[in-house]
Amino acid sequence: MMGSALPTASLIAAEDSLIGHIRQLAEITSKASRVPEGWSYQNSYQLLMTLGRRFTPVASPDDLIGMPARLCYSNSARYAQAHRDEGLVYAEGFSLTHAGIDVCLPHAWVVRPDGTVLDPTWHDAPGRAYVGIPVKDFRLWPFEGGGLLQDFDRTLSLLRDGIPQSALADLGRPLSPSERP
């Protein structure tokens, strides 16, 4: 990863809270479902915990004009596509909201080459923490509809076959081995 601002203790605590939430969802979902033998992942939360990374939220640039609310997947894919020459990539996972109370939401955003977040949907203020998978292969980006981890048709093939390592970007801060499944 290229140089980015060092994470603060409050950011790490918020990320840890988010990771704990994702871990709980992974455990609950794995107990409630059976996966065919040979699949790469039991559920999208396990996939996220295996490939996920931490990203540093920073203030949005003054010239960022927000995109439509509740369309974070296509907003982020389109914004990353429009700014690929700047090294921006699509990322998807969970974010901790900025609204004064901690709400963990499935979300998508864009990652800069230094591992910081650019959130075209929450342009007014970034979330407090972001944990997700940075995907550099634009052929996987969800330009229409739901996200990679939220849309059944997209998620199913990822759970079965996994995501090729070549499709992932080495951005953000990796989860520690103890945080992975």
Side-chain angles (χ1 to χ4, degrees):
M1 178 186 79
M2 298 172 70
S4 64
L6 292 175
T8 64
S10 64
L11 173 59
I12 291 171
E15 291 169 344
D16 288 348
S17 172
L18 197 52
I19 290 166
H21 178 76
I22 298 165
R23 177 175 282 116
Q24 283 183 317
L25 291 171
E27 290 170 4
I28 291 167
T29 306
S30 66
K31 290 177 185 174
S33 61
R34 293 180 34 197
V35 176
E37 192 160 326
W39 280 38
S40 296
Y41 301 97
Q42 291 184 357
N43 54 60
S44 59
Y45 309 109
Q46 182 195 40
L47 185 149
L48 179 55
M49 293 300 294
T50 301
L51 301 176
R53 300 174 78 88
R54 298 168 182 245
F55 300 98
T56 304
V58 295
S60 298
D62 291 336
D63 63 344
L64 179 64
I65 297 171
M67 298 175 86
R70 297 188 187 111
L71 298 177
C72 63
Y73 306 110
S74 59
N75 287 347
S76 297
R78 290 178 181 164
Y79 194 91
Q81 177 72 15
H83 299 274
R84 278 180 50 205
D85 61 332
E86 298 169 34
L88 301 184
V89 300
Y90 174 86
E92 183 177 326
F94 275 77
S95 179
L96 196 58
T97 62
H98 60 278
I101 57 171
D102 290 344
V103 178
C104 300
L105 294 175
H107 193 50
W109 56 93
V110 175
V111 180
R112 295 176 176 115
D114 67 355
T116 59
V117 171
L118 179 64
D119 196 326
T121 306
W122 294 347
H123 66 284
D124 54 336
R128 289 190 42 233
Y130 293 80
V131 174
I133 302 170
V135 180
K136 67 181 177 184
D137 187 342
F138 70 92
R139 295 172 298 181
L140 295 175
W141 297 354
F143 293 100
E144 301 296 330
L148 300 175
L149 304 176
Q150 302 300 320
D151 179 271
F152 180 78
D153 292 331
R154 288 184 178 104
T155 306
L156 191 62
S157 65
L158 297 179
L159 296 179
R160 184 185 59 233
D161 305 327
I163 301 176
Q165 195 65 33
S166 62
L168 302 174
D170 185 19
L171 298 174
R173 294 171 281 117
L175 301 184
S176 70
S178 65
E179 293 170 326
R180 298 191 184 280

